[in-house]
Amino acid sequence: MVTIPEYYEGKNVLITGATGFMGKVLLEKLMRSCPGVKAVYVLVRHKAGHAPLARIADMINCKLFDRLRDEQPDFAEKIVAVNSDLTLPELDLSKVDQETLADCINIVFHCAATIRFNEPLKDAMLLNVLATQKMVALAHKMKHLEVFLHVSTAYANCDRTLIEEVVYPPPVDYKKLIDSLEWMDEKLVSAMTPGLIGKRPNTYTYTKAIAEYLVQQECGNLNVAIIRPSIVGASWKEPFPGWIDNFNGPSGIFIAAGKGILRTMRASNNAVADLVPVDAVINTTLAAAWYSGSQRHTRPKSILVYNCTTGSINPFHWGEVGMKQYHVISTFKRNPLEQAFRRPNVNLTTNHLINQYWIAVSHKAPAFLYDLCLRMTGREPRMMKTITRLHRAMMVLEYFTSHSWVWKNDNVTMLMNQMGADDKRTFNFDVRQLNWAEYMENYCMGTKKYVLNEAESGLPAARKHLNKLRNIRYTFNTVLVVFIWRVFIARSQMARNIWYIVVSLCFKFLSYFRASSTMKY
């Protein structure tokens, strides 16, 4: 077989969702590692008064593209921004753009989706299902299309504990659901949503499962592959370790923990945190399109599904997030975030009542006192609002931090075995090589550098601030213990007797220690 860069040489590629986290990494990696690609068309809509071309120009100026910019200074000339809105009829494409795409596109990467877990069902269906349906319809018009690659999620079928690399039928007829949602008002849809999604925790996983089935049913003679990544995290190696640009998923948890705002979360220590680096996902995506495209004439026609996960191969557990020896907490203690609220420390529990207790003691009480101080000094209170937003986010994530799944990875293994030695190095997605301690440290530092935009020059001041918080904590705890104990002593003769015994024992121990030291000399 041809190598992956050879396959993409001279090809015209279409990407949806190119301005999203995964889309950016896909665009950068494709252009950097496959320099022979002819052109990359990206569907982009107008947003906040910015035209598609301006949005792409702004995007490729970020640090992610620095390495590509150094190696290929003229790479932007190959990027073609196409005005499109996936929620509108015919994707809001002009007739000229439709004809252009139909005449020249060879490979489609459909990455666009809403990743908001609590999106109203109507909106989630519009963005995740109907947009996919329109993309499949557009793909049917493409005269030279070799492969259509759909990006789904490993949690599309999270109502199952064992998830194989197959497309599962959804619990409802998607065509009837689409027709019904057209005439239903928001209130009725909202009332029906819990019954529709069933055991799934949210509309995101539900609509992604429907989208997979829709692709299977409507692809016809298209050559289709589906990628199912789990929780997509910061980059592992490329274009550099630790790149991340958003607060979504674990990134928000890590930042909240690093700031000392998150002190407790409901999670199982033994539950697998199925994190997968974004560059591993993108390398799998590019390799999957290469395999399906280059083998389209020799391989039996079927949809290949790839579970792009780590839990079954190289597991990482939620309990390791809070371990003091390494990973998140220790990283942020060595390299603290600026203006931390408290020293980083996270306790995990599966018990709802215990979690609520720690929320009241470790989250709400300190936030209330902090806001009270702000009010007294004439400043606007803000910490209780932050805590409320954090709790909403944690409630959405609870399902995923408290459960584990088993994903089969046979197709991923097969894909790896089909690749040559050079391709395995350039498009590495072998997560067995992933060192979690090193990766998590890079991830945490990535949130500091690229999400919060904190420079390394601010570390000495941040460490000084963290030491100050430690001293405040020790002082407060000492005063509190002495106060409670003194109040207790004043009311109990037994407590006073115990107090005197303890003090006399301490005095005797100090006297003995001093005498022993004197005898040595």
Side-chain angles (χ1 to χ4, degrees):
M1 289 193 295
V2 295
T3 64
I4 295 177
E6 287 172 348
Y7 171 69
Y8 284 99
E9 189 167 348
K11 297 289 197 299
N12 289 306
V13 178
L14 175 66
I15 301 176
T16 69
T19 57
F21 175 50
M22 281 181 57
K24 290 177 190 174
V25 182
L26 173 61
L27 177 63
E28 192 276 341
K29 175 64 176 180
L30 173 63
M31 302 200 74
R32 177 168 52 83
S33 296
C34 303
V37 67
K38 187 175 181 181
V40 181
Y41 292 76
V42 291
L43 300 188
V44 190
R45 63 185 174 91
H46 279 81
K47 185 177 181 181
H50 293 91
L53 194 61
R55 290 185 64 193
I56 293 299
D58 183 58
M59 180 187 76
I60 62 178
N61 279 327
C62 76
K63 185 174 178 58
L64 174 69
F65 291 85
D66 284 355
R67 183 175 168 187
L68 174 59
R69 195 176 296 109
D70 291 339
E71 295 177 8
Q72 302 174 43
D74 301 326
F75 77 94
E77 295 176 3
K78 292 184 179 181
I79 302 175
V80 182
V82 181
N83 182 33
S84 174
D85 190 330
L86 303 189
T87 64
L88 298 178
E90 295 188 322
L91 305 169
D92 199 31
L93 289 168
S94 68
K95 292 297 180 184
V96 173
D97 287 338
Q98 287 185 43
E99 291 173 4
T100 301
L101 296 177
D103 288 339
C104 75
I105 295 300
N106 305 113
I107 303 161
V108 173
F109 292 104
H110 178 44
C111 306
T114 175
I115 58 171
R116 293 177 184 170
F117 287 174
N118 55 355
E119 194 85 74
L121 182 59
K122 259 192 174 182
D123 295 338
M125 285 289 293
L126 182 65
L127 291 160
N128 292 345
V129 179
L130 292 175
T132 301
Q133 189 177 43
K134 293 167 193 170
M135 283 301 302
V136 172
L138 177 64
H140 277 294
K141 299 176 184 177
M142 295 175 178
K143 301 168 186 175
H144 308 288
L145 186 66
E146 297 180 8
V147 58
F148 180 95
L149 193 139
H150 173 66
V151 178
S152 183
T153 172
Y155 296 100
N157 302 286
C158 60
D159 54 331
R160 301 169 178 267
T161 52
L162 174 64
I163 302 168
E164 300 188 61
E165 292 173 308
V166 297
V167 176
Y168 295 97
V172 297
D173 184 328
Y174 73 89
K175 292 181 180 178
K176 290 181 180 178
L177 179 61
I178 291 170
D179 292 339
S180 300
L181 291 176
E182 285 184 0
W183 59 265
M184 289 183 184
D185 61 25
E186 291 291 347
K187 190 174 180 181
L188 180 58
V189 174
S190 180
M192 290 178 59
T193 297
L196 285 170
I197 65 177
K199 293 181 180 179
R200 290 182 176 86
N202 50 53
T203 57
Y204 170 69
T205 56
Y206 178 70
T207 53
K208 292 299 278 185
I210 292 175
E212 282 189 9
Y213 189 71
L214 181 148
V215 170
Q216 184 193 56
Q217 295 299 303
E218 301 191 6
C219 68
N221 61 352
L222 296 177
N223 189 20
V224 174
I226 296 175
I227 299 290
R228 287 180 181 156
S230 49
I231 304 171
V232 183
S235 60
W236 174 19
K237 295 179 180 178
E238 293 184 279
F240 43 82
W243 187 79
I244 184 77
D245 72 342
N246 60 75
F247 289 91
N248 297 331
S251 304
I253 294 176
F254 298 162
I255 291 172
K259 287 281 189 180
I261 298 171
L262 176 66
R263 311 286 289 183
T264 181
M265 61 184 283
R266 194 176 178 194
S268 171
N269 283 305
N270 298 320
V272 174
D274 208 295
L275 288 172
V276 58
V278 64
D279 47 337
V281 177
I282 296 308
N283 287 339
T284 308
T285 302
L286 290 169
W290 156 78
Y291 180 73
S292 290
S294 62
Q295 296 292 299
R296 64 190 184 280
H297 299 305
T298 58
R299 186 178 60 83
K301 186 181 179 302
S302 63
I303 295 179
L304 281 174
V305 180
Y306 299 90
N307 285 337
C308 191
T309 60
T310 58
S312 301
I313 306 167
N314 184 5
F316 173 74
H317 300 89
W318 283 109
E320 296 176 78
V321 170
M323 287 180 70
K324 294 178 175 60
Q325 292 89 344
Y326 52 101
H327 298 158
V328 177
I329 300 305
S330 65
T331 298
F332 283 131
K333 283 184 177 179
R334 293 193 308 273
N335 306 282
L337 301 179
E338 295 175 10
Q339 295 302 310
F341 178 58
R342 296 175 71 185
R343 280 177 61 80
N345 188 38
V346 178
N347 294 307
L348 273 62
T349 179
T350 55
N351 187 288
H352 176 71
L353 292 177
I354 292 175
N355 187 52
Q356 290 301 309
Y357 167 78
W358 283 115
I359 284 174
V361 172
S362 294
H363 287 182
K364 293 183 178 180
F368 175 78
L369 293 173
Y370 184 75
D371 281 354
L372 184 63
C373 291
L374 290 178
R375 282 195 181 95
M376 291 172 65
T377 54
R379 289 176 289 176
E380 185 179 353
R382 62 178 184 272
M383 192 52 67
M384 280 301 292
K385 291 180 181 178
T386 302
I387 290 293
T388 302
R389 287 198 300 270
L390 175 64
H391 289 166
R392 277 200 218 104
M394 295 308 299
M395 285 178 65
V396 170
L397 292 172
E398 264 185 22
Y399 179 86
F400 302 97
T401 58
S402 303
H403 294 79
S404 292
W405 293 264
V406 176
W407 285 278
K408 292 289 186 180
N409 301 98
D410 296 341
N411 287 342
V412 174
T413 303
M414 176 277 297
L415 181 63
M416 199 182 306
N417 292 335
Q418 293 293 323
M419 295 164 63
D422 289 342
D423 283 346
K424 284 181 180 178
R425 282 191 295 270
T426 307
F427 300 89
N428 182 25
F429 54 87
D430 186 358
V431 293
R432 292 172 299 181
Q433 303 170 10
L434 181 63
N435 182 298
W436 282 112
E438 180 184 346
Y439 173 71
M440 292 306 296
E441 180 163 355
N442 289 333
Y443 194 157
C444 293
M445 293 305 295
T447 61
K448 179 179 174 67
K449 291 178 186 176
Y450 310 122
V451 180
L452 301 177
N453 295 314
E454 295 182 4
E456 288 190 21
S457 59
L459 272 175
R463 290 186 180 117
K464 187 176 180 181
H465 178 70
L466 209 63
N467 289 334
K468 181 181 176 183
L469 291 175
R470 180 195 60 194
N471 295 336
I472 291 172
R473 177 192 171 196
Y474 288 163
T475 303
F476 176 79
N477 287 346
T478 302
V479 170
L480 184 64
V481 168
V482 170
F483 174 76
I484 292 173
W485 184 246
R486 292 299 296 172
V487 170
F488 187 55
I489 288 173
R491 300 191 176 192
S492 169
Q493 181 62 44
M494 181 180 292
R496 283 198 294 272
N497 292 339
I498 294 172
W499 173 256
Y500 293 138
I501 290 170
V502 170
V503 170
S504 62
L505 286 173
C506 290
F507 179 76
K508 287 179 181 179
F509 174 77
L510 290 173
S511 300
Y512 173 77
F513 181 77
R514 191 178 301 144
S516 299
S517 301
T518 306
M519 288 174 66
K520 286 180 182 180
Y521 293 100

